[in-house]
Amino acid sequence: MNRILGTSYGRALIIQLQLDGFPEIITKEGSTIRYHLAPWNGVQFSGITCLKPNGIYTFRFVLNKREIYYSSKLLNSSIPSRIVFTDNELWHLVWIDRKQSWEAYAVVQMDNCDNYVLCGPYGIFTFTYYPVCSCLKGFQPKSPNPWVRKLWSSGCVGNTPLICSNDGFLKYSKVKLPDSRRSWFSYSLNLEECKYMYKNNCSCNAYDSEAR
């Protein structure tokens, strides 16, 4: 089982560890992906900053050639704990006996940045810009008219056709990885080896590496 079921205002929601490509956490309503929460970046789930060592529970993520899984365990099993969905938040609650109430230990807030394909292919979401969706350098809106109406899901296309033998890669730092279901990853390549390998692969659109 790689999912958590819940309800939010009558909607059936699923939080799932997506195993196709590089592992990531997504939220689904039925078969439709609603939020792209947190891809695994090699160190942690990048979209869930509150998932850190703490005094309530331990967690473990295993990714190797034989298995992929995430697990968590209460340090004190006598303390009740539960997870609650709201429309755009995930609450981890613990029972405080002296208060006789549930208290929020951690809250994962899903915002526009987590909306699945909000900015479309080759689009990028930036909180500090307006409009929040824009095209990566060298790209332009695929359908300009919808973009004027803040409908960005059609994404962007290149200003000029890519020429594999001449074109290279632009560096983007401090960004959340996009949908990784169609990605490929290696346990052994370093950044320079990755760059060389993908520069000679005309089907490669981008590459990423995390220092351990």
Side-chain angles (χ1 to χ4, degrees), residues 7-36:
T7 59
S8 174
Y9 300 103
R11 300 159 57 199
L13 299 176
I14 299 172
I15 288 187
Q16 180 175 322
L17 178 61
Q18 178 68 48
L19 302 181
D20 296 333
F22 208 57
E24 57 186 337
I25 296 176
I26 59 175
T27 300
K28 300 173 71 175
E29 184 176 358
S31 60
T32 302
I33 299 176
R34 293 300 184 194
Y35 296 105
H36 169 248

Coordinates of all heavy atoms in Angstrom, one line a residue, residues 7-36:
T7 N -10.9 12.3 3.3 CA -12.0 13.1 2.7 C -11.8 14.6 3.0 O -11.2 14.9 4.1 CB -13.3 12.6 3.1 OG1 -13.4 12.7 4.6 CG2 -13.6 11.2 2.7
S8 N -12.2 15.4 2.1 CA -12.2 16.9 2.4 C -13.4 17.5 1.8 O -13.6 17.5 0.5 CB -10.9 17.4 1.7 OG -10.9 18.8 1.8
Y9 N -14.3 18.0 2.6 CA -15.6 18.6 2.2 C -16.3 17.7 1.2 O -16.7 18.1 0.1 CB -15.3 19.9 1.5 CG -14.6 20.9 2.5 CD1 -13.2 21.2 2.4 CD2 -15.4 21.5 3.5 CE1 -12.6 22.0 3.3 CE2 -14.7 22.4 4.4 CZ -13.4 22.6 4.3 OH -12.8 23.5 5.1
G10 N -16.4 16.4 1.5 CA -17.1 15.5 0.6 C -16.3 14.9 -0.5 O -16.8 14.1 -1.3
R11 N -15.1 15.4 -0.7 CA -14.3 14.9 -1.8 C -13.3 13.8 -1.3 O -12.8 13.9 -0.2 CB -13.4 16.0 -2.4 CG -14.2 17.2 -2.9 CD -13.4 18.4 -3.0 NE -12.2 18.3 -3.8 CZ -11.1 19.1 -3.7 NH1 -11.1 20.1 -2.8 NH2 -10.1 18.8 -4.5
A12 N -13.2 12.7 -2.1 CA -12.3 11.6 -1.7 C -10.9 11.9 -2.3 O -10.7 12.1 -3.5 CB -12.8 10.3 -2.3
L13 N -9.9 12.1 -1.4 CA -8.6 12.4 -1.8 C -7.6 11.3 -1.4 O -7.8 10.5 -0.5 CB -8.1 13.7 -1.0 CG -8.9 14.9 -1.3 CD1 -8.4 16.1 -0.4 CD2 -8.9 15.3 -2.7
I14 N -6.6 11.2 -2.2 CA -5.6 10.2 -2.0 C -4.2 10.8 -2.0 O -3.9 11.6 -3.0 CB -5.6 9.1 -3.1 CG1 -6.9 8.4 -3.1 CG2 -4.4 8.1 -2.9 CD1 -7.1 7.4 -4.3
I15 N -3.4 10.6 -1.0 CA -2.0 11.0 -1.0 C -1.2 9.8 -1.3 O -1.3 8.8 -0.7 CB -1.6 11.6 0.3 CG1 -2.2 13.0 0.5 CG2 -0.1 11.8 0.4 CD1 -1.7 13.8 1.7
Q16 N -0.4 9.9 -2.4 CA 0.2 8.7 -2.9 C 1.7 8.9 -3.2 O 2.1 10.0 -3.7 CB -0.5 8.3 -4.2 CG 0.1 7.0 -4.9 CD -0.8 6.6 -6.1 OE1 -2.0 6.7 -6.1 NE2 -0.1 6.2 -7.1
L17 N 2.5 7.9 -2.9 CA 3.9 7.9 -3.3 C 4.0 7.4 -4.7 O 3.8 6.2 -4.9 CB 4.7 7.1 -2.3 CG 6.2 7.0 -2.7 CD1 6.9 8.4 -2.6 CD2 6.9 6.0 -1.7
Q18 N 4.2 8.3 -5.6 CA 4.2 7.9 -7.0 C 5.6 7.2 -7.4 O 6.6 7.8 -7.1 CB 4.0 9.1 -7.9 CG 4.1 8.9 -9.4 CD 2.9 8.1 -9.9 OE1 1.8 8.4 -9.6 NE2 3.2 7.0 -10.7
L19 N 5.5 6.0 -7.9 CA 6.7 5.2 -8.1 C 7.2 5.2 -9.5 O 8.3 4.7 -9.8 CB 6.5 3.8 -7.6 CG 6.1 3.6 -6.1 CD1 5.9 2.2 -5.8 CD2 7.1 4.3 -5.2
D20 N 6.4 5.7 -10.5 CA 6.9 5.8 -11.8 C 8.0 6.9 -12.0 O 7.8 8.0 -11.5 CB 5.8 6.1 -12.8 CG 4.7 5.0 -12.8 OD1 5.1 3.8 -12.5 OD2 3.5 5.3 -13.1
G21 N 9.1 6.6 -12.6 CA 10.2 7.5 -12.7 C 10.8 7.7 -11.4 O 11.1 6.8 -10.6
F22 N 11.1 9.0 -11.0 CA 11.7 9.3 -9.7 C 10.6 9.5 -8.7 O 9.7 10.2 -9.0 CB 12.6 10.5 -9.9 CG 13.8 10.5 -8.9 CD1 14.7 9.5 -8.8 CD2 13.9 11.6 -8.0 CE1 15.7 9.5 -7.9 CE2 14.9 11.6 -7.1 CZ 15.9 10.6 -7.0
P23 N 10.7 8.9 -7.5 CA 9.6 9.0 -6.5 C 9.2 10.4 -6.2 O 10.1 11.3 -6.0 CB 10.2 8.2 -5.3 CG 11.3 7.4 -5.9 CD 11.9 8.1 -7.0
E24 N 7.9 10.6 -6.0 CA 7.4 11.9 -5.6 C 6.0 11.6 -4.9 O 5.4 10.6 -5.1 CB 7.2 12.8 -6.8 CG 6.3 12.3 -7.9 CD 6.3 13.1 -9.1 OE1 6.6 14.3 -9.0 OE2 6.0 12.6 -10.2
I25 N 5.6 12.6 -4.1 CA 4.3 12.5 -3.5 C 3.3 13.4 -4.2 O 3.6 14.6 -4.5 CB 4.4 13.0 -2.0 CG1 5.4 12.1 -1.2 CG2 3.0 13.0 -1.3 CD1 5.6 12.5 0.2
I26 N 2.2 12.8 -4.5 CA 1.1 13.5 -5.2 C -0.2 13.3 -4.5 O -0.4 12.4 -3.7 CB 1.0 13.0 -6.7 CG1 0.6 11.5 -6.7 CG2 2.2 13.3 -7.5 CD1 0.3 10.9 -8.1
T27 N -1.1 14.2 -4.8 CA -2.5 14.1 -4.2 C -3.4 14.0 -5.4 O -3.4 14.7 -6.4 CB -2.9 15.4 -3.4 OG1 -2.0 15.6 -2.3 CG2 -4.3 15.3 -2.9
K28 N -4.3 13.0 -5.3 CA -5.2 12.7 -6.4 C -6.7 12.7 -5.9 O -7.0 12.4 -4.7 CB -4.9 11.3 -6.9 CG -3.6 11.1 -7.5 CD -3.3 9.7 -7.9 CE -4.0 9.2 -9.1 NZ -3.6 7.9 -9.6
E29 N -7.6 13.1 -6.8 CA -9.0 13.0 -6.5 C -9.5 12.1 -7.6 O -9.6 12.5 -8.8 CB -9.6 14.4 -6.6 CG -11.1 14.4 -6.3 CD -11.7 15.8 -6.3 OE1 -11.0 16.8 -6.5 OE2 -12.9 15.9 -6.1
G30 N -9.9 10.9 -7.2 CA -10.2 9.9 -8.2 C -8.9 9.5 -9.0 O -7.8 9.3 -8.4
S31 N -9.0 9.6 -10.3 CA -7.8 9.4 -11.1 C -7.1 10.6 -11.5 O -6.1 10.6 -12.2 CB -8.2 8.6 -12.4 OG -9.2 9.3 -13.2
T32 N -7.6 11.8 -11.1 CA -7.0 13.1 -11.5 C -6.0 13.6 -10.5 O -6.3 13.6 -9.3 CB -8.2 14.2 -11.6 OG1 -9.1 13.7 -12.6 CG2 -7.6 15.5 -12.1
I33 N -4.8 13.9 -10.9 CA -3.8 14.5 -10.1 C -4.2 16.0 -9.8 O -4.3 16.8 -10.7 CB -2.4 14.4 -10.7 CG1 -2.0 12.9 -10.9 CG2 -1.4 15.1 -9.8 CD1 -0.7 12.8 -11.7
R34 N -4.3 16.3 -8.5 CA -4.6 17.7 -8.1 C -3.4 18.5 -7.7 O -3.2 19.6 -8.0 CB -5.6 17.7 -6.9 CG -7.0 17.1 -7.3 CD -7.6 18.0 -8.4 NE -9.0 17.5 -8.7 CZ -9.7 17.9 -9.8 NH1 -9.1 18.7 -10.6 NH2 -10.9 17.5 -10.0
Y35 N -2.5 17.8 -6.9 CA -1.3 18.5 -6.4 C -0.1 17.7 -6.6 O -0.1 16.4 -6.4 CB -1.5 18.8 -4.9 CG -2.6 19.8 -4.5 CD1 -3.8 19.3 -4.0 CD2 -2.5 21.1 -4.8 CE1 -4.8 20.2 -3.6 CE2 -3.5 22.0 -4.5 CZ -4.7 21.5 -3.9 OH -5.7 22.4 -3.6
H36 N 1.0 18.3 -7.0 CA 2.3 17.7 -7.1 C 3.1 18.2 -5.9 O 3.7 19.3 -5.9 CB 2.9 18.2 -8.5 CG 4.3 17.8 -8.6 ND1 5.3 18.8 -8.7 CD2 4.9 16.7 -8.8 CE1 6.5 18.2 -8.9 NE2 6.3 16.9 -8.9

